[in-house]
Amino acid sequence: MAHRDEVAWDVDNIYFSLNTRELNLKDFEYLDQKDLIPIINALEYNTWFTKLRANQIKLSHDNLDKIFHVLKKSLNLEELYLDNLGLKADFVNKLANTLKVNPVSALHTVDLSYNPIEDKGACYLGQCVNRLTKGLVHINVSHCGLSSKGVNNMSAAFCANTTNLNTLTYLNLSANSLKDDISNLHNFLSQSNALQHLDISSTDIVLENLFDALVKGCTTNLVHLNVSRNPFSSKKSKEAPISFKQFFSSTLNLKFLNISHCKLPQEALKNLLLGLACNEFTKEMSLDINMDGDLCNVVLAISKNKSLKHLNMGRSMKKHMALIMDSVVQIIQDDECILQSLVMPDCRLRGDLFNLLNALGDNKSLELLDISGNLIGDSGARLLAKALQINSKLKTIILDRNNITLQGYHDLAYALESNRNLQYIPFPIFDVTPCMKASAERTDVLMRKIQDLLNRNVSFKRQATKHISLQAGFLLTSKQQALERLVTQTQDAIKSLGSDSIAPHNDINHANDVIRDAEDCKQLLIRLQEVAQHRNDKHPVEEKLQQVSSDIYNSVCDSIQVMIEKMLKTCKEQCPYVLRDEHTVQDIKRDCKQKKQIPLDYVTSCVRHQAGVDIMNRLR
């Protein structure tokens, strides 16, 4: 194999340094198809790699057969990603037959997305599921040309092997046609299961029937639910089933919900928001309500929900834009606002966005803002720049396609000089292109200045990056080669001299002992690193850093308390009548204590991620 040394170097150094257990054949796509065979074959008895990924590359029949051969023998291969390879039903049939030969296979993850396996392949996949005695954890068959028949057969296999109810955590059926009866899928979802991620978007599944099943079996573990671009009901009724509200009021771990472009009736939308509002377990939520209807009432309802942290409203404002934006501004200005990301691209809001930009100045929660495609122009850029000068929370802003000229970018660059928190602005290529035509040199200067200021703001992050130790073989390659040459020369000299003497202390025996130690020395640094990295006890420096964090936290709390007392004393001197009541004073103290506390986690993070990381990296 012509590239054997290069492949060995990649595995010994890049894969080892990244500590990855995934063998990605795309990393070796520069090789001929026949050269991939020994790489795949090495997985047969390999104990390091547990994942095989071969996506969006061309694999010959010999390579696919070699994958089957590995699956017949391997006891360690757990995850198989073969998406977008043009595989058809006969491949899945061979996969099922292969797993029949290896009853102790460790395989639990299968990704066949973007392969036209169709319903016949789904039936074969059901046979695979039945033969995985340890159960399936992850299955992705999105964009596979399946219909309700194929999904029903596969779901029946899920139910037949009851282990799957306790193991299957990821199921992606998106972009298949499920508009006919799918009773077996409903049956599986209605049983108590371990599903955490369910993507059933763009399948024409009827949502009111789906939620009848979800409320029975998926309220405990489900974290990610994507049901976008599906009809809500097969009837024209405006009423929503009680199960719809029950699901959202009883779900325990839901963090992400995409229900965009579903044409929900008002009653269903009301039930959704009321359910989330009265659910005490949804502490952090990402909601995509990218809807086609009137959003005004929706946003008003969202403003009362204290569990939503991520909101996507892109391409959804077609009327009442001013009223909708007023509601959004109310959310942003609320002192108890917990919204961390607000995404509203391509809404063409123009001046209707200005009030929101003004409100950003004193917002203390938003970290990501996407206002791309809203045509705010230089006037909007100027308002955004003013807000950035006093905003201390935003880290990412996406603002391309806003008709901003050089004057607008000049205002933003000026604002960044005093803003130390903003870290990322994707390069606004659509807006910059006409600027380059007008004045290429000035545009280049401004863009460089903006990027330099953003790089300044993220410099502390670079210092806090995890220290990666390269393999000893990479660090000492030249020295090892020199050592091997000396060993070879010494061995040749010994052979030429022969065994002139058998005395235990003669020079030849001494040289052999030195050679033996030299061979063992090649692994010495690796063993020393293992000793250093696998300490059972906590590093004393880490313990001291934790103690220092606690001391700083206590000092900060004491300082804040003293400051509050002094401020209250000043208030009493200025307004003695209002503050003569001790209960009022105590209420003020309590509110100040709640709002002005600095979390211990924040202090610990600052100490350990800045000073701590530098110290530990130096020790390593």
Side-chain angles (χ1 to χ4, degrees), residues 23-38:
L23 180 64
N24 192 342
L25 295 184
K26 197 170 180 64
D27 292 340
F28 310 105
E29 63 179 344
Y30 56 87
L31 300 176
D32 293 334
Q33 289 289 313
K34 60 183 178 61
D35 291 334
L36 290 175
I37 293 178

Side-chain angles (χ1 to χ4, degrees), residues 339-405:
L339 204 63
Q340 293 181 356
S341 67
L342 178 60
V343 179
M344 45 176 57
D346 301 314
C347 294
R348 306 176 73 86
L349 293 171
R350 296 183 174 85
D352 290 325
L353 193 61
F354 289 177
N355 286 338
L356 173 67
L357 298 178
N358 284 327
L360 291 175
D362 57 354
N363 178 267
K364 298 296 189 296
S365 63
L366 269 184
E367 296 182 0
L368 182 148
L369 178 66
D370 185 350
I371 53 171
S372 56
N374 279 293
L375 310 178
I376 62 174
D378 289 343
S379 299
R382 184 178 68 255
L383 294 175
L384 176 61
K386 291 180 178 180
L388 287 178
Q389 292 184 61
I390 55 177
N391 182 281
S392 59
K393 195 66 178 179
L394 271 172
K395 295 181 180 178
T396 299
I397 296 179
I398 305 171
L399 47 69
D400 201 5
R401 304 193 310 281
N402 270 304
N403 291 347
I404 300 176
T405 69

